[in-house]
């Protein structure tokens, strides 16, 4: 590798998810990897493009981590810093500001990470958001009487749907808030605050976009199911969603305006929204490649655009290739992610149906997070998703048919519970 290749610090990326590393190699960008806490990186088997491993305690020693980055930058300067891990987005913005590297302002990063601030900024910009109240203290310290039930309670700094819970009636709210506080105990001790907002009952969509110098390119809009709660485990992601043109345009307008409202001028974003009375209503906008890289898989197969490579280019101050022409993004196929449901709890004895998929030509990756022997805790606790099945198809209808097949063929078996044997 030539030493003129730009170098980016990649904060808290799991090495089991390959896309960002493969894209870095294609883009000719070298990675200094800051591993996720607790993940050991075997020195001899670094992922593609990784030239150095730099352990930093981003979570519990932020000033120490910033100081270490500054020392590392002085020794041999790097060109950028980025992350795909939502909780690290403000840290990355702070480090970029400190070291004079490309990035979004810390104020914008905080707005994209704290759901209370995000809600306020989107509402103040006149965008369509559910009515909400912020709970900053330990109990229900705000007036919720203007909210129409059901409502959804969630931690302000949450991710992966952790603790997101529906309360159907005002009477239920107190116990739901207490439950969310209990389930998210560690997170709320580090980063307190809850949001209570009206429940949106329509279908859900995810939008992958890239921003560069304030211009936003919407790459894909995908269907995410129509979850009813009370807990919101992810299930499917299929793109492109088949939408009537006026609705697609309304989603593009709303997503583009959300970038401006939050001040997200540069980098990749992952936006989630649901429909209410047929109109898009924003749930959240993350200032990063979504799903630890799943968003890259979706954008790549639907449009041919190397989303993760362009995200890295923006992070090191290079122009993204997908902005080179003014032409609209064109669809070239369909892509999907099937999130294997836990379907129960207890000690896993077997996961059926996954091995056959590794040989299936439609399947690009089976990312398995849980294995036989692991224990899945009952709801409302969230142990993690068992596996993702990432695939590509000629059309979204074929992706849907494939997901119906997975729903009946992939199944997790648990050991009988004590006392029921
Ligand atoms: P996280 O950042 O933890 O994923 P989200 O706010 O994105 O939290 O919520 C996770 C999921 O919960 C969403 O994808 C959606 O399915 C559901 N959800 C969250 N808020 C609402 C709401 N107001 N109405 C309906 N569903 C919601």
């Amino acid at each position: 590798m030539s030493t003129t290749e730009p170098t980016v610090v990649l904060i808290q990326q799991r090495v089991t998810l390959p896309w960002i590393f493969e894209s870095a190699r294609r883009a000719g960008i070298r990675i200094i990897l800051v591993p996720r806490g607790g993940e050991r990186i075997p020195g001899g088997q670094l992922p593609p493009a990784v030239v150095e491993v730099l352990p930093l305690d981003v979570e519990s020693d932020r000033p120490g981590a910033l100081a270490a980055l500054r020392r590392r930058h002085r020794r041999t300067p790097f060109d950028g810093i980025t992350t795909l891990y939502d909780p690290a987005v403000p840290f990355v913005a702070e480090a970029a500001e400190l070291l004079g590297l490309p990035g979004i302002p810390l104020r914008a990063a905080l707005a994209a990470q704290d759901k209370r601030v995000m809600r306020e900024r989107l509402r103040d910009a006149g965008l369509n958001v559910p009515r909400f109240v912020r709970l900053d203290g330990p109990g229900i310290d705000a007036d919720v009487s203007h909210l129409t039930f059901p409502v959804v309670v969630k931690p302000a700094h949450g991710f992966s749907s952790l603790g997101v819970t529906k309360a159907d009636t005002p009477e239920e709210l107190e116990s739901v808030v207490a439950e969310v506080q209990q389930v998210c105990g560690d997170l709320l001790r580090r980063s307190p605050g809850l949001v209570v907002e009206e429940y949106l009952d329509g279908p859900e969509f995810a939008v992958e976009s890239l921003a560069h110098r304030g211009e936003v390119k919407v790459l894909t809009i995908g269907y995410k199911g129509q979850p009813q709660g009370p807990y919101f485990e992810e299930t499917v992601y299929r793109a492109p969603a088949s939408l009537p043109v006026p609705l697609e345009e309304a989603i593009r307008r709303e997503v583009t305006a959300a970038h401006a409202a939050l001040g997200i001028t540069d980098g990749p974003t992952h936006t989630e929204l649901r429909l209410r009375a047929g109109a898009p209503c924003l749930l959240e906008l993350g200032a990063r490649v979504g799903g630890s890289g799943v968003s890259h898989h979706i954008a790549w197969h639907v449009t041919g655009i190397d989303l993760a490579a362009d995200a890295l280019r923006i992070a090191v101050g290079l122009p993204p290739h997908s902005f080179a022409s003014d032409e609209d993004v064109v669809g070239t196929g369909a892509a999907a992610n099937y999130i294997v449901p836990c379907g129960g709890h207890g000690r896993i004895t077997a996961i059926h149906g996954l091995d056959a998929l590794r040989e299936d030509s439609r399947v690009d990756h089976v990312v398995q997070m849980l294995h036989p022997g692991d224990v899945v805790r009952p709801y409302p606790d969230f142990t993690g998703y068992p596996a993702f099945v990432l695939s590509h198809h000629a059309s979204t209808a074929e992706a849907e048919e494939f997901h119906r097949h997975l729903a009946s063929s992939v199944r997790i078996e648990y050991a009988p519970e004590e006392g029921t044997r």
Side-chain angles (χ1 to χ4, degrees):
M1 257 190 229
S2 121
T3 49
T4 55
E5 286 182 334
T7 307
V8 69
V9 174
L10 179 61
I11 299 286
Q12 292 184 296
Q13 178 65 26
R14 284 201 192 291
V15 297
T16 43
L17 304 169
W19 304 282
I20 189 83
F21 302 105
E22 291 167 358
S23 289
R25 186 165 53 188
R26 278 194 295 272
I29 295 176
R30 306 185 308 168
I31 290 178
I32 299 172
L33 175 66
V34 176
R36 188 81 68 87
E39 194 174 52
R40 285 198 20 239
I41 314 293
Q45 297 165 30
L46 292 178
V50 175
V51 293
E52 182 180 331
V53 176
L54 178 67
L56 294 179
D57 191 353
V58 174
E59 253 151 54
S60 40
D61 182 13
R62 201 181 176 90
L66 285 171
L69 271 178
R70 196 208 282 271
R71 282 196 300 278
R72 171 63 188 74
H73 189 57
R74 270 206 203 116
R75 207 167 67 236
T76 323
F78 38 83
D79 304 280
I81 180 162
T82 193
T83 189
L84 279 67
Y85 184 49
D86 201 57
V89 167
F91 175 84
V92 163
E94 197 175 349
E97 275 187 4
L98 183 77
L99 303 175
L101 299 171
I104 53 172
L106 179 57
R107 183 182 138 80
L110 288 170
Q113 223 282 312
D114 184 330
K115 294 186 196 331
R116 297 168 297 182
V117 183
M118 189 179 331
R119 283 266 164 274
E120 287 166 355
R121 297 240 181 110
L122 296 175
R123 177 199 59 196
D124 295 348
L127 296 178
N128 198 16
V129 290
R131 281 184 294 187
F132 66 96
V133 296
R134 46 189 291 169
L135 301 184
D136 295 332
I140 303 179
D141 55 3
D143 179 16
V144 295
S145 60
H146 62 291
L147 300 182
T148 303
F149 278 72
V151 295
V152 172
V153 180
K154 55 175 93 166
H157 297 274
F159 58 100
S160 296
S161 303
L162 177 70
V164 180
T165 312
K166 187 163 88 168
D168 285 315
T169 61
E171 294 69 42
E172 226 180 78
L173 184 60
E174 199 170 325
S175 63
V176 168
V177 166
E179 183 183 282
V180 175
Q181 276 165 341
Q182 206 238 321
V183 170
C184 302
D186 286 347
L187 171 66
L188 291 172
R189 267 187 292 283
R190 277 198 311 274
S191 318
L194 298 177
V195 175
V196 181
E197 63 187 33
E198 291 177 350
Y199 172 69
L200 309 164
D201 61 356
E204 181 163 339
F205 298 94
V207 184
E208 311 303 346
S209 318
L210 269 171
H212 185 50
R213 299 187 174 160
E215 190 191 332
V216 178
K217 229 179 173 83
V218 171
L219 306 182
T220 61
I221 304 173
Y223 175 70
K224 293 280 312 246
Q226 195 164 352
Q228 315 282 311
Y231 309 114
F232 295 91
E233 194 176 341
E234 293 202 40
T235 53
V236 295
Y237 186 1
R238 295 189 287 264
S242 349
L243 298 169
V245 173
L247 176 57
E248 183 177 331
E249 283 173 357
I251 291 177
R252 284 172 181 273
R253 269 198 310 276
E254 204 73 9
V255 169
T256 305
H259 285 73
L262 300 177
I264 311 290
T265 50
D266 288 280
T269 62
H270 173 81
T271 312
E272 292 178 350
L273 56 94
R274 290 185 77 157
L275 302 189
R276 182 171 57 182
C281 208
L282 291 162
L283 281 176
E284 65 168 353
L285 182 151
R288 58 188 163 81
V289 175
S292 298
V294 169
S295 298
H296 165 81
H297 164 84
I298 298 282
W300 172 263
H301 283 287
V302 175
T303 66
I305 288 173
D306 193 335
L307 170 59
D310 266 355
L312 291 171
R313 288 188 187 101
I314 293 171
V316 298
L318 293 173
H321 287 185
S322 52
F323 278 69
S325 86
D326 291 341
E327 280 164 34
D328 280 345
V329 176
V330 274
T332 53
N337 184 21
Y338 179 81
I339 298 112
V340 174
C342 291
H345 57 88
R347 188 172 297 280
I348 298 176
T349 51
I351 303 186
H352 299 284
L354 279 189
D355 284 344
L357 294 174
R358 297 180 214 271
E359 311 300 319
D360 191 316
S361 62
R362 296 165 292 187
V363 175
D364 300 286
H365 299 278
V366 177
V367 184
Q368 191 169 346
M369 276 80 70
L370 295 180
H371 298 87
D374 289 337
V375 173
V376 173
R377 297 184 298 276
Y379 272 116
D381 253 354
F382 176 69
T383 311
Y385 294 112
F388 294 161
V389 181
L390 290 127
S391 57
H392 65 275
H393 307 269
S395 69
T396 314
E398 283 182 21
E400 198 177 337
E401 193 185 313
F402 180 59
H403 281 182
R404 271 196 294 275
H405 160 67
L406 297 186
S408 59
S409 60
V410 179
R411 191 172 48 82
I412 301 186
E413 210 169 274
Y414 295 92
E417 288 192 40
E418 294 294 319
T420 59
R421 266 177 263 207

